Amino acid sequence: MSINRRDFLKVSGAGAAAALLAGCATTASGGKPRVVVVGAGYGGATCAKYLRKWGPNIDVTLIEPNDKFVSCPRSNLVIGGLRNMDYLTHGYDNLPRHGIKMVKDMVVAIDPAKRTVTTKGGHTFGYDRLVLAPGIDVRTDTIKGYREAEAASKVVHAWKAGPQTALLRKQIESMPDGGVFVMGIPGTPYRCPPGPYERISLVANYLKKHKPKSKIIVLDSNPDIVSKKPLFTWAWNSFYAGIVEYRGANAVTGVDGNRMVASTEFDDIKADVMNVVPRQRAGELCALAGVRNDAGGNWCAVNFTTFESTAVPNVHIIGDSVSASLPKSGHMATNHAKICAAAIVELLAGRQPEAAPVIANTCYSDTSDTTGGHVANVYRYNAEKKAYIDAGGGGATPKGDELNHAYAESWAQNIWSEVLS
Amino acid sequence: MHKILILLAASATLFGANAYAVDRGELLASTCMSCHGAGGKSKGAIPTIAGLDKAYIVKSLQDFKSGARSASVMQRHSKGYTDEEFALMADYLSKLK
């Protein structure tokens, strides 16, 4: 077995001094290198954990405003009445065991020149490297009437798991048989490409059993189903004929909570439950740091071997906020996190990061209470194109089955343990 | 301090310019854990991969890739990696306890 740098540091018994010597050019603090990770979702929690695993000499602080981790993946099962909120909700209790300093607070200011972040609670943390994993900012301002209707609980997106997930479930339960559930889908890129179609399937699964005269009208901003189309088409035709009505190229442009109407360029659609998901951009933290720098000012351009911002040095962005032709999924966020953690460990030691990373995405969608399917792809970094390129051989299941349904549940349990245990 | 400098110099000679803190096999295999669980230990229907025999892992991945062994997700993932990468990942996974 070859000796790697980590073993060497352990053997030398002088990890901090060695890191200081090797990494003095990048360690502003002059002591143990400090990394601050903001956001403890799939990406941030994984990154903090792997930073400690691969860089035991690194001082890692993880700042998160919420008490608990609530999983967005699998939240459609709650909306479809197949699980409860407890199933999605997990504590952060295990993370400090890795030597991560957990701070429950909200970051309100970032100073990239001084390399500090400041929290709402009034604390300032210095960093050598900063990792931002804020997830998405939902643009409720882009749909007319949305904010008023949302404040009155007449429309929800439930595109961040939490109170809106529970609220949407309640609204579906209260809907009369014969009611109309309107699902509005934003144009790409958005978090979780198959998510809206899985949600439609699982709401339909519930309505078919309990309110069979009801209908789901799908208003998709995209011209067609953007992910796992054969799988969802199979499910809707096989199980939910007469329940799901799909309308492509029908973006929701306005909602009226008083009249319960969702409007497109073409029609006004009367609804009993309005689940309209607006388009999104990188979380506000990214704007605070000056890294929401792609052409539209919506997402963060990064160097894909390190996930360091192309705009601001020493600031890394992982997860949904990254500008990439890759799916925005929790699974991908964990992989961004690992590549980023490894790169930071190398950079802090004065080395070059891995030049040719390879990452994979696996995403399961349930299509009913007994069937599901998947999409899986491998992406290899291409130095010439400065991007991750599909390695080929990937793809999606054309039909759902019980095996993938079982794998989906196992996947959830396993990724939660990988992120949080 | 002198001792540390000697060790650092020795490490530079030993590992050369391409040495990494994180073993490439471990970094490649880290993506496996998002489905197979922390440390390669799975809950539920997805199999545990920690501590399997190295040759068995390589053969399995090659057979998934060729189609000789049927699989669901792994038939897709295996096509994205080289034989050399299979060996690196298998070496790491086989050593997990």
Side-chain angles (χ1 to χ4, degrees), chain A residues 3 6 8 53-54 331 334-335 338 346 351-352 354 356 358 361-362 364 374 378 380 393 395-396 404 410-411 414-415 417-418, chain B residues 4 7-8 15 19-22 24 26-28 30-31 33-35 37-38 42-46 72-73 76-77 79-81 85:
Chain A
I3 299 171
R6 192 148 38 89
F8 161 70
K53 180 177 161 72
W54 288 333
H331 194 106
T334 66
N335 285 322
K338 292 165 190 175
E346 307 296 354
R351 293 167 185 270
Q352 291 297 308
E354 161 71 55
V358 186
N361 185 48
T362 307
Y364 289 95
H374 71 252
V378 175
R380 307 182 71 94
N404 277 289
S410 181
W411 171 88
N414 286 338
I415 200 165
S417 90
E418 171 68 348
Chain B
I4 292 163
L7 276 166
L8 277 175
F15 310 133
Y20 294 104
V22 186
R24 182 165 161 82
E26 180 173 355
L27 185 55
L28 283 166
S30 69
T31 193
M33 310 312 177
S34 296
C35 286
S42 174
K43 300 170 186 175
I46 294 172
S72 154
V73 164
R76 304 185 198 280
H77 281 312
K79 290 187 178 71
Y81 294 88
E85 289 165 343

Short mmCIF file of all heavy atoms in Angstrom, two decimals, chain A residues 3 6 8 53-54 331 334-335 338 346 351-352 354 356 358 361-362 364 374 378 380 393 395-396 404 410-411 414-415 417-418, chain B residues 4 7-8 15 19-22 24 26-28 30-31 33-35 37-38 42-46 72-73 76-77 79-81 85:
data_model
loop_
_atom_site.label_atom_id
_atom_site.label_comp_id
_atom_site.label_asym_id
_atom_site.label_seq_id
_atom_site.Cartn_x
_atom_site.Cartn_y
_atom_site.Cartn_z
N ILE A 3 1.95 5.13 0.58
CA ILE A 3 1.68 6.12 1.62
C ILE A 3 1.13 7.36 0.95
O ILE A 3 1.72 7.85 -0.01
CB ILE A 3 2.99 6.50 2.36
CG1 ILE A 3 3.58 5.26 3.03
CG2 ILE A 3 2.74 7.61 3.39
CD1 ILE A 3 4.98 5.50 3.60
N ARG A 6 -1.97 12.07 3.61
CA ARG A 6 -2.67 12.07 4.89
C ARG A 6 -1.92 11.20 5.90
O ARG A 6 -1.71 11.58 7.04
CB ARG A 6 -4.09 11.56 4.68
CG ARG A 6 -5.01 11.77 5.82
CD ARG A 6 -6.44 11.99 5.33
NE ARG A 6 -6.73 11.14 4.19
CZ ARG A 6 -7.22 9.92 4.31
NH1 ARG A 6 -7.42 9.39 5.50
NH2 ARG A 6 -7.50 9.22 3.25
N PHE A 8 1.17 10.46 5.76
CA PHE A 8 2.43 11.14 6.07
C PHE A 8 2.24 12.16 7.19
O PHE A 8 3.02 12.24 8.13
CB PHE A 8 2.98 11.82 4.81
CG PHE A 8 3.99 12.88 5.12
CD1 PHE A 8 5.24 12.56 5.62
CD2 PHE A 8 3.67 14.21 4.94
CE1 PHE A 8 6.16 13.55 5.92
CE2 PHE A 8 4.58 15.19 5.24
CZ PHE A 8 5.84 14.87 5.73
N LYS A 53 -12.56 14.52 6.59
CA LYS A 53 -12.06 13.16 6.30
C LYS A 53 -10.72 13.22 5.58
O LYS A 53 -9.79 12.50 5.91
CB LYS A 53 -13.11 12.44 5.44
CG LYS A 53 -12.78 11.00 5.05
CD LYS A 53 -13.98 10.43 4.26
CE LYS A 53 -13.65 9.22 3.42
NZ LYS A 53 -13.43 7.99 4.19
N TRP A 54 -10.64 14.11 4.59
CA TRP A 54 -9.43 14.17 3.75
C TRP A 54 -8.42 15.21 4.23
O TRP A 54 -7.27 15.18 3.82
CB TRP A 54 -9.84 14.43 2.30
CG TRP A 54 -10.50 13.24 1.65
CD1 TRP A 54 -10.31 11.93 1.97
CD2 TRP A 54 -11.44 13.25 0.57
NE1 TRP A 54 -11.07 11.13 1.16
CE2 TRP A 54 -11.77 11.90 0.29
CE3 TRP A 54 -12.02 14.27 -0.20
CZ2 TRP A 54 -12.67 11.54 -0.73
CZ3 TRP A 54 -12.91 13.91 -1.20
CH2 TRP A 54 -13.23 12.57 -1.47
N HIS A 331 -28.15 14.44 -5.52
CA HIS A 331 -27.09 13.48 -5.76
C HIS A 331 -25.87 14.16 -6.38
O HIS A 331 -24.73 13.93 -5.96
CB HIS A 331 -27.61 12.37 -6.69
CG HIS A 331 -26.74 11.16 -6.76
ND1 HIS A 331 -27.07 9.99 -6.16
CD2 HIS A 331 -25.55 10.96 -7.35
CE1 HIS A 331 -26.11 9.09 -6.37
NE2 HIS A 331 -25.18 9.66 -7.11
N THR A 334 -23.85 16.16 -3.89
CA THR A 334 -22.89 15.40 -3.06
C THR A 334 -21.60 15.15 -3.83
O THR A 334 -20.52 15.10 -3.24
CB THR A 334 -23.47 14.03 -2.60
OG1 THR A 334 -23.68 13.19 -3.72
CG2 THR A 334 -24.76 14.20 -1.82
N ASN A 335 -21.71 15.01 -5.14
CA ASN A 335 -20.50 14.77 -5.93
C ASN A 335 -19.70 16.04 -6.17
O ASN A 335 -18.47 16.02 -6.13
CB ASN A 335 -20.87 14.08 -7.25
CG ASN A 335 -21.21 12.62 -7.02
OD1 ASN A 335 -20.58 11.95 -6.22
ND2 ASN A 335 -22.23 12.15 -7.70
N LYS A 338 -17.66 16.46 -3.01
CA LYS A 338 -16.47 15.63 -2.84
C LYS A 338 -15.31 16.12 -3.71
O LYS A 338 -14.17 16.16 -3.25
CB LYS A 338 -16.82 14.17 -3.13
CG LYS A 338 -17.76 13.57 -2.08
CD LYS A 338 -18.40 12.27 -2.54
CE LYS A 338 -19.51 11.89 -1.55
NZ LYS A 338 -20.25 10.69 -2.00
N GLU A 346 -6.06 19.76 -1.42
CA GLU A 346 -4.82 19.86 -2.21
C GLU A 346 -4.33 21.31 -2.26
O GLU A 346 -3.14 21.58 -2.07
CB GLU A 346 -5.04 19.38 -3.65
CG GLU A 346 -5.64 17.99 -3.81
CD GLU A 346 -4.76 16.87 -3.26
OE1 GLU A 346 -3.62 17.14 -2.85
OE2 GLU A 346 -5.24 15.73 -3.23
N ARG A 351 -0.74 22.15 -3.43
CA ARG A 351 -0.66 21.22 -4.56
C ARG A 351 -1.71 21.56 -5.62
O ARG A 351 -2.61 22.35 -5.38
CB ARG A 351 -0.93 19.80 -4.09
CG ARG A 351 0.12 19.23 -3.19
CD ARG A 351 -0.43 17.96 -2.57
NE ARG A 351 0.50 17.44 -1.59
CZ ARG A 351 1.46 16.58 -1.87
NH1 ARG A 351 1.61 16.13 -3.10
NH2 ARG A 351 2.28 16.17 -0.93
N GLN A 352 -1.58 20.87 -6.75
CA GLN A 352 -2.58 20.99 -7.81
C GLN A 352 -3.71 20.01 -7.50
O GLN A 352 -3.47 18.90 -7.05
CB GLN A 352 -1.97 20.62 -9.16
CG GLN A 352 -0.95 21.63 -9.67
CD GLN A 352 -1.59 22.98 -9.93
OE1 GLN A 352 -2.60 23.08 -10.62
NE2 GLN A 352 -1.01 24.03 -9.35
N GLU A 354 -6.81 17.35 -8.44
CA GLU A 354 -7.06 16.30 -9.44
C GLU A 354 -7.47 16.98 -10.76
O GLU A 354 -8.38 17.81 -10.76
CB GLU A 354 -8.17 15.39 -8.91
CG GLU A 354 -8.88 14.52 -9.93
CD GLU A 354 -8.02 13.40 -10.46
OE1 GLU A 354 -7.49 12.62 -9.66
OE2 GLU A 354 -7.86 13.32 -11.69
N ALA A 356 -8.54 15.50 -13.66
CA ALA A 356 -9.56 14.86 -14.50
C ALA A 356 -10.62 14.17 -13.66
O ALA A 356 -10.75 12.95 -13.69
CB ALA A 356 -8.90 13.86 -15.45
N VAL A 358 -14.12 12.61 -12.27
CA VAL A 358 -15.25 11.90 -12.89
C VAL A 358 -16.36 11.87 -11.85
O VAL A 358 -16.11 11.53 -10.69
CB VAL A 358 -14.87 10.44 -13.25
CG1 VAL A 358 -16.00 9.78 -14.03
CG2 VAL A 358 -13.57 10.39 -14.05
N ASN A 361 -24.32 10.80 -11.75
CA ASN A 361 -25.63 11.16 -11.21
C ASN A 361 -26.54 9.93 -11.27
O ASN A 361 -26.55 9.21 -12.25
CB ASN A 361 -26.27 12.29 -12.03
CG ASN A 361 -27.57 12.77 -11.41
OD1 ASN A 361 -27.63 13.01 -10.21
ND2 ASN A 361 -28.61 12.89 -12.22
N THR A 362 -27.25 9.71 -10.18
CA THR A 362 -28.28 8.68 -10.17
C THR A 362 -29.52 9.31 -9.58
O THR A 362 -29.45 9.92 -8.53
CB THR A 362 -27.88 7.48 -9.30
OG1 THR A 362 -26.60 7.03 -9.71
CG2 THR A 362 -28.89 6.34 -9.44
N TYR A 364 -33.66 8.56 -8.93
CA TYR A 364 -34.85 7.71 -9.00
C TYR A 364 -36.10 8.57 -8.94
O TYR A 364 -36.13 9.58 -8.24
CB TYR A 364 -34.87 6.73 -7.82
CG TYR A 364 -33.82 5.66 -7.91
CD1 TYR A 364 -32.59 5.80 -7.27
CD2 TYR A 364 -34.05 4.51 -8.66
CE1 TYR A 364 -31.62 4.82 -7.37
CE2 TYR A 364 -33.08 3.52 -8.76
CZ TYR A 364 -31.87 3.67 -8.11
OH TYR A 364 -30.91 2.70 -8.21
N HIS A 374 -35.41 5.13 -13.10
CA HIS A 374 -34.21 5.91 -12.79
C HIS A 374 -33.62 6.55 -14.04
O HIS A 374 -33.96 6.18 -15.16
CB HIS A 374 -33.14 5.02 -12.13
CG HIS A 374 -32.50 4.04 -13.08
ND1 HIS A 374 -32.74 2.68 -13.03
CD2 HIS A 374 -31.63 4.22 -14.10
CE1 HIS A 374 -32.05 2.08 -13.99
NE2 HIS A 374 -31.38 2.99 -14.65
N VAL A 378 -22.73 9.17 -16.22
CA VAL A 378 -21.38 9.48 -15.72
C VAL A 378 -20.87 10.68 -16.51
O VAL A 378 -21.08 10.76 -17.73
CB VAL A 378 -20.43 8.27 -15.90
CG1 VAL A 378 -19.01 8.63 -15.51
CG2 VAL A 378 -20.93 7.08 -15.09
N ARG A 380 -17.44 13.12 -17.25
CA ARG A 380 -15.98 13.23 -17.10
C ARG A 380 -15.56 14.65 -17.43
O ARG A 380 -16.03 15.24 -18.41
CB ARG A 380 -15.27 12.26 -18.05
CG ARG A 380 -15.74 10.82 -17.93
CD ARG A 380 -14.96 9.91 -18.85
NE ARG A 380 -13.61 9.77 -18.35
CZ ARG A 380 -13.21 8.77 -17.55
NH1 ARG A 380 -14.07 7.82 -17.20
NH2 ARG A 380 -11.97 8.72 -17.12
N GLY A 393 -23.31 5.90 -22.47
CA GLY A 393 -23.77 4.66 -21.84
C GLY A 393 -24.84 4.88 -20.78
O GLY A 393 -25.41 3.92 -20.28
N GLY A 395 -28.49 6.78 -19.22
CA GLY A 395 -29.84 6.91 -19.75
C GLY A 395 -30.88 6.63 -18.69
O GLY A 395 -30.57 6.53 -17.52
N ALA A 396 -32.12 6.53 -19.15
CA ALA A 396 -33.25 6.39 -18.23
C ALA A 396 -34.05 5.13 -18.55
O ALA A 396 -34.09 4.69 -19.70
CB ALA A 396 -34.15 7.61 -18.31
N ASN A 404 -36.92 -0.92 -9.21
CA ASN A 404 -36.46 0.47 -9.10
C ASN A 404 -37.18 1.22 -7.98
O ASN A 404 -36.62 2.13 -7.38
CB ASN A 404 -36.64 1.20 -10.43
CG ASN A 404 -35.48 0.94 -11.38
OD1 ASN A 404 -34.36 1.42 -11.16
ND2 ASN A 404 -35.72 0.14 -12.41
N SER A 410 -34.06 2.57 -0.95
CA SER A 410 -32.72 2.25 -0.44
C SER A 410 -31.76 3.42 -0.73
O SER A 410 -30.95 3.80 0.12
CB SER A 410 -32.23 0.96 -1.11
OG SER A 410 -30.97 0.59 -0.65
N TRP A 411 -31.87 3.99 -1.93
CA TRP A 411 -31.05 5.16 -2.30
C TRP A 411 -31.22 6.28 -1.28
O TRP A 411 -30.24 6.87 -0.81
CB TRP A 411 -31.42 5.66 -3.71
CG TRP A 411 -30.79 6.97 -4.07
CD1 TRP A 411 -29.57 7.15 -4.65
CD2 TRP A 411 -31.32 8.29 -3.83
NE1 TRP A 411 -29.32 8.50 -4.79
CE2 TRP A 411 -30.37 9.22 -4.30
CE3 TRP A 411 -32.51 8.77 -3.27
CZ2 TRP A 411 -30.57 10.60 -4.22
CZ3 TRP A 411 -32.70 10.15 -3.19
CH2 TRP A 411 -31.74 11.05 -3.67
N ASN A 414 -29.60 5.53 2.00
CA ASN A 414 -28.14 5.52 1.86
C ASN A 414 -27.55 6.91 1.66
O ASN A 414 -26.50 7.23 2.22
CB ASN A 414 -27.73 4.59 0.72
CG ASN A 414 -27.89 3.13 1.11
OD1 ASN A 414 -27.92 2.80 2.30
ND2 ASN A 414 -28.01 2.26 0.13
N ILE A 415 -28.20 7.73 0.87
CA ILE A 415 -27.63 9.07 0.65
C ILE A 415 -27.79 9.90 1.93
O ILE A 415 -26.91 10.70 2.26
CB ILE A 415 -28.21 9.76 -0.61
CG1 ILE A 415 -27.25 10.89 -1.06
CG2 ILE A 415 -29.63 10.29 -0.38
CD1 ILE A 415 -27.48 11.40 -2.46
N SER A 417 -27.55 8.72 4.91
CA SER A 417 -26.45 8.29 5.79
C SER A 417 -25.12 8.86 5.29
O SER A 417 -24.26 9.26 6.08
CB SER A 417 -26.41 6.77 5.93
OG SER A 417 -25.61 6.17 4.94
N GLU A 418 -24.95 8.91 3.97
CA GLU A 418 -23.70 9.45 3.41
C GLU A 418 -23.55 10.94 3.75
O GLU A 418 -22.47 11.41 4.07
CB GLU A 418 -23.70 9.25 1.89
CG GLU A 418 -22.59 9.94 1.11
CD GLU A 418 -21.21 9.39 1.38
OE1 GLU A 418 -21.04 8.61 2.32
OE2 GLU A 418 -20.28 9.75 0.64
N ILE B 4 10.90 18.07 10.44
CA ILE B 4 9.73 18.22 9.56
C ILE B 4 10.18 18.55 8.14
O ILE B 4 9.69 17.99 7.16
CB ILE B 4 8.81 19.35 10.09
CG1 ILE B 4 8.18 18.91 11.40
CG2 ILE B 4 7.72 19.69 9.08
CD1 ILE B 4 7.60 20.04 12.21
N LEU B 7 11.35 15.50 6.48
CA LEU B 7 10.20 14.67 6.11
C LEU B 7 9.49 15.24 4.89
O LEU B 7 9.09 14.51 3.99
CB LEU B 7 9.22 14.58 7.29
CG LEU B 7 9.56 13.52 8.32
CD1 LEU B 7 8.74 13.75 9.58
CD2 LEU B 7 9.29 12.12 7.77
N LEU B 8 9.35 16.57 4.87
CA LEU B 8 8.68 17.21 3.73
C LEU B 8 9.47 16.98 2.45
O LEU B 8 8.91 16.66 1.41
CB LEU B 8 8.53 18.71 3.98
CG LEU B 8 7.34 19.11 4.84
CD1 LEU B 8 7.38 20.60 5.10
CD2 LEU B 8 6.03 18.74 4.16
N PHE B 15 6.64 11.28 -3.53
CA PHE B 15 5.35 11.37 -4.22
C PHE B 15 5.44 12.11 -5.57
O PHE B 15 4.57 11.94 -6.40
CB PHE B 15 4.32 12.06 -3.33
CG PHE B 15 4.24 11.49 -1.95
CD1 PHE B 15 4.23 12.29 -0.83
CD2 PHE B 15 4.21 10.11 -1.78
CE1 PHE B 15 4.14 11.74 0.43
CE2 PHE B 15 4.14 9.55 -0.52
CZ PHE B 15 4.11 10.37 0.60
N ALA B 19 1.55 13.70 -6.90
CA ALA B 19 0.98 13.07 -5.72
C ALA B 19 -0.20 13.89 -5.20
O ALA B 19 -0.18 15.11 -5.25
CB ALA B 19 2.02 12.94 -4.64
N TYR B 20 -1.20 13.19 -4.73
CA TYR B 20 -2.37 13.87 -4.20
C TYR B 20 -2.60 13.45 -2.75
O TYR B 20 -2.26 12.35 -2.36
CB TYR B 20 -3.61 13.52 -5.02
CG TYR B 20 -3.55 14.03 -6.42
CD1 TYR B 20 -3.28 13.17 -7.48
CD2 TYR B 20 -3.72 15.39 -6.69
CE1 TYR B 20 -3.20 13.65 -8.78
CE2 TYR B 20 -3.64 15.87 -7.97
CZ TYR B 20 -3.38 15.00 -9.02
OH TYR B 20 -3.31 15.48 -10.28
N ALA B 21 -3.21 14.32 -1.98
CA ALA B 21 -3.60 13.97 -0.62
C ALA B 21 -4.69 12.90 -0.66
O ALA B 21 -4.71 12.00 0.15
CB ALA B 21 -4.10 15.20 0.13
N VAL B 22 -5.58 13.04 -1.63
CA VAL B 22 -6.69 12.10 -1.73
C VAL B 22 -6.36 11.12 -2.85
O VAL B 22 -6.17 11.51 -4.00
CB VAL B 22 -8.01 12.83 -2.04
CG1 VAL B 22 -9.17 11.85 -1.99
CG2 VAL B 22 -8.24 13.97 -1.04
N ARG B 24 -6.60 8.66 -5.82
CA ARG B 24 -7.53 8.76 -6.96
C ARG B 24 -8.63 7.69 -6.90
O ARG B 24 -9.78 7.95 -7.24
CB ARG B 24 -6.76 8.67 -8.28
CG ARG B 24 -7.67 8.81 -9.50
CD ARG B 24 -6.90 9.10 -10.79
NE ARG B 24 -7.69 8.80 -11.97
CZ ARG B 24 -8.60 9.61 -12.51
NH1 ARG B 24 -8.82 10.79 -11.96
NH2 ARG B 24 -9.29 9.27 -13.57
N GLU B 26 -9.90 6.41 -4.22
CA GLU B 26 -10.86 6.81 -3.19
C GLU B 26 -11.77 7.94 -3.70
O GLU B 26 -12.97 7.94 -3.47
CB GLU B 26 -10.12 7.27 -1.92
CG GLU B 26 -11.08 7.69 -0.82
CD GLU B 26 -10.40 8.00 0.52
OE1 GLU B 26 -9.17 7.79 0.63
OE2 GLU B 26 -11.11 8.45 1.43
N LEU B 27 -11.15 8.89 -4.43
CA LEU B 27 -11.93 10.00 -4.97
C LEU B 27 -12.95 9.48 -5.99
O LEU B 27 -14.13 9.87 -5.96
CB LEU B 27 -11.00 11.05 -5.59
CG LEU B 27 -11.66 12.33 -6.09
CD1 LEU B 27 -12.46 13.02 -5.00
CD2 LEU B 27 -10.60 13.30 -6.63
N LEU B 28 -12.50 8.60 -6.89
CA LEU B 28 -13.42 8.03 -7.88
C LEU B 28 -14.54 7.26 -7.19
O LEU B 28 -15.70 7.37 -7.56
CB LEU B 28 -12.66 7.08 -8.82
CG LEU B 28 -11.79 7.70 -9.91
CD1 LEU B 28 -10.85 6.65 -10.50
CD2 LEU B 28 -12.64 8.33 -11.01
N SER B 30 -15.69 7.63 -4.26
CA SER B 30 -16.54 8.40 -3.35
C SER B 30 -17.94 8.60 -3.93
O SER B 30 -18.92 8.70 -3.20
CB SER B 30 -15.89 9.74 -2.99
OG SER B 30 -15.86 10.60 -4.10
N THR B 31 -18.03 8.64 -5.26
CA THR B 31 -19.34 8.82 -5.91
C THR B 31 -20.25 7.61 -5.66
O THR B 31 -21.47 7.73 -5.64
CB THR B 31 -19.16 9.13 -7.41
OG1 THR B 31 -20.40 9.60 -7.93
CG2 THR B 31 -18.74 7.90 -8.20
N MET B 33 -20.73 6.04 -2.95
CA MET B 33 -21.36 6.03 -1.62
C MET B 33 -22.72 6.73 -1.60
O MET B 33 -23.52 6.47 -0.71
CB MET B 33 -20.44 6.72 -0.60
CG MET B 33 -19.01 6.23 -0.59
SD MET B 33 -18.87 4.44 -0.58
CE MET B 33 -17.10 4.25 -0.66
N SER B 34 -22.97 7.61 -2.56
CA SER B 34 -24.25 8.32 -2.57
C SER B 34 -25.41 7.35 -2.79
O SER B 34 -26.53 7.65 -2.38
CB SER B 34 -24.24 9.43 -3.63
OG SER B 34 -23.26 10.39 -3.31
N CYS B 35 -25.16 6.20 -3.44
CA CYS B 35 -26.20 5.17 -3.55
C CYS B 35 -25.97 4.01 -2.59
O CYS B 35 -26.93 3.43 -2.08
CB CYS B 35 -26.25 4.58 -4.96
SG CYS B 35 -26.96 5.64 -6.21
N GLY B 37 -24.33 3.96 0.24
CA GLY B 37 -24.31 4.28 1.67
C GLY B 37 -22.94 4.68 2.17
O GLY B 37 -21.91 4.36 1.57
N ALA B 38 -22.93 5.37 3.31
CA ALA B 38 -21.67 5.82 3.92
C ALA B 38 -20.75 4.63 4.13
O ALA B 38 -21.18 3.60 4.64
CB ALA B 38 -21.97 6.51 5.25
N SER B 42 -24.73 -0.47 2.75
CA SER B 42 -26.08 -0.11 2.31
C SER B 42 -27.17 -0.55 3.26
O SER B 42 -27.05 -1.57 3.93
CB SER B 42 -26.33 -0.73 0.94
OG SER B 42 -27.66 -0.51 0.54
N LYS B 43 -28.25 0.25 3.26
CA LYS B 43 -29.49 -0.15 3.92
C LYS B 43 -30.48 -0.48 2.80
O LYS B 43 -30.63 0.30 1.88
CB LYS B 43 -30.05 1.02 4.74
CG LYS B 43 -29.12 1.52 5.84
CD LYS B 43 -29.66 2.82 6.43
CE LYS B 43 -28.66 3.41 7.42
NZ LYS B 43 -29.10 4.72 7.94
N GLY B 44 -31.15 -1.60 2.90
CA GLY B 44 -32.20 -1.90 1.93
C GLY B 44 -31.71 -2.64 0.71
O GLY B 44 -30.72 -3.36 0.76
N ALA B 45 -32.42 -2.41 -0.42
CA ALA B 45 -32.26 -3.24 -1.61
C ALA B 45 -30.93 -3.08 -2.34
O ALA B 45 -30.45 -4.01 -2.99
CB ALA B 45 -33.41 -2.94 -2.58
N ILE B 46 -30.31 -1.92 -2.24
CA ILE B 46 -29.03 -1.70 -2.94
C ILE B 46 -27.93 -2.45 -2.19
O ILE B 46 -27.86 -2.38 -0.96
CB ILE B 46 -28.73 -0.18 -3.00
CG1 ILE B 46 -29.77 0.53 -3.89
CG2 ILE B 46 -27.32 0.08 -3.54
CD1 ILE B 46 -29.69 2.05 -3.88
N SER B 72 -29.32 -2.97 -13.18
CA SER B 72 -30.21 -1.85 -13.45
C SER B 72 -29.35 -0.61 -13.68
O SER B 72 -28.87 -0.37 -14.78
CB SER B 72 -31.17 -1.74 -12.26
OG SER B 72 -31.65 -0.47 -12.07
N VAL B 73 -29.06 0.14 -12.62
CA VAL B 73 -28.27 1.36 -12.75
C VAL B 73 -26.82 1.06 -13.14
O VAL B 73 -26.19 1.81 -13.90
CB VAL B 73 -28.31 2.12 -11.40
CG1 VAL B 73 -27.23 3.16 -11.34
CG2 VAL B 73 -29.67 2.78 -11.23
N ARG B 76 -25.44 1.18 -16.65
CA ARG B 76 -25.19 2.52 -17.20
C ARG B 76 -23.90 3.10 -16.63
O ARG B 76 -23.04 3.58 -17.35
CB ARG B 76 -26.36 3.45 -16.87
CG ARG B 76 -27.69 2.92 -17.36
CD ARG B 76 -28.82 3.91 -17.12
NE ARG B 76 -30.12 3.27 -17.18
CZ ARG B 76 -30.77 2.98 -18.30
NH1 ARG B 76 -30.23 3.29 -19.46
NH2 ARG B 76 -31.96 2.39 -18.27
N HIS B 77 -23.74 3.06 -15.31
CA HIS B 77 -22.55 3.66 -14.70
C HIS B 77 -21.25 3.00 -15.20
O HIS B 77 -20.26 3.68 -15.46
CB HIS B 77 -22.61 3.52 -13.17
CG HIS B 77 -23.52 4.53 -12.53
ND1 HIS B 77 -23.47 5.88 -12.84
CD2 HIS B 77 -24.50 4.40 -11.61
CE1 HIS B 77 -24.39 6.51 -12.12
NE2 HIS B 77 -25.03 5.63 -11.38
N LYS B 79 -20.36 1.83 -17.92
CA LYS B 79 -19.92 2.23 -19.27
C LYS B 79 -19.13 3.54 -19.25
O LYS B 79 -18.46 3.88 -20.22
CB LYS B 79 -21.12 2.34 -20.20
CG LYS B 79 -21.74 0.98 -20.52
CD LYS B 79 -22.82 1.10 -21.59
CE LYS B 79 -23.40 -0.25 -21.96
NZ LYS B 79 -24.24 -0.85 -20.89
N GLY B 80 -19.22 4.27 -18.16
CA GLY B 80 -18.54 5.57 -18.09
C GLY B 80 -17.10 5.50 -17.59
O GLY B 80 -16.43 6.53 -17.53
N TYR B 81 -16.64 4.30 -17.21
CA TYR B 81 -15.31 4.18 -16.60
C TYR B 81 -14.42 3.22 -17.38
O TYR B 81 -14.90 2.34 -18.09
CB TYR B 81 -15.45 3.68 -15.15
CG TYR B 81 -16.15 4.66 -14.24
CD1 TYR B 81 -17.53 4.65 -14.11
CD2 TYR B 81 -15.44 5.61 -13.52
CE1 TYR B 81 -18.19 5.55 -13.28
CE2 TYR B 81 -16.09 6.52 -12.68
CZ TYR B 81 -17.47 6.49 -12.56
OH TYR B 81 -18.11 7.37 -11.75
N GLU B 85 -9.66 2.49 -14.11
CA GLU B 85 -10.45 3.10 -13.04
C GLU B 85 -11.20 2.05 -12.23
O GLU B 85 -11.33 2.18 -11.00
CB GLU B 85 -11.41 4.16 -13.63
CG GLU B 85 -10.64 5.39 -14.11
CD GLU B 85 -11.44 6.31 -15.03
OE1 GLU B 85 -12.48 5.87 -15.57
OE2 GLU B 85 -11.02 7.46 -15.21
#
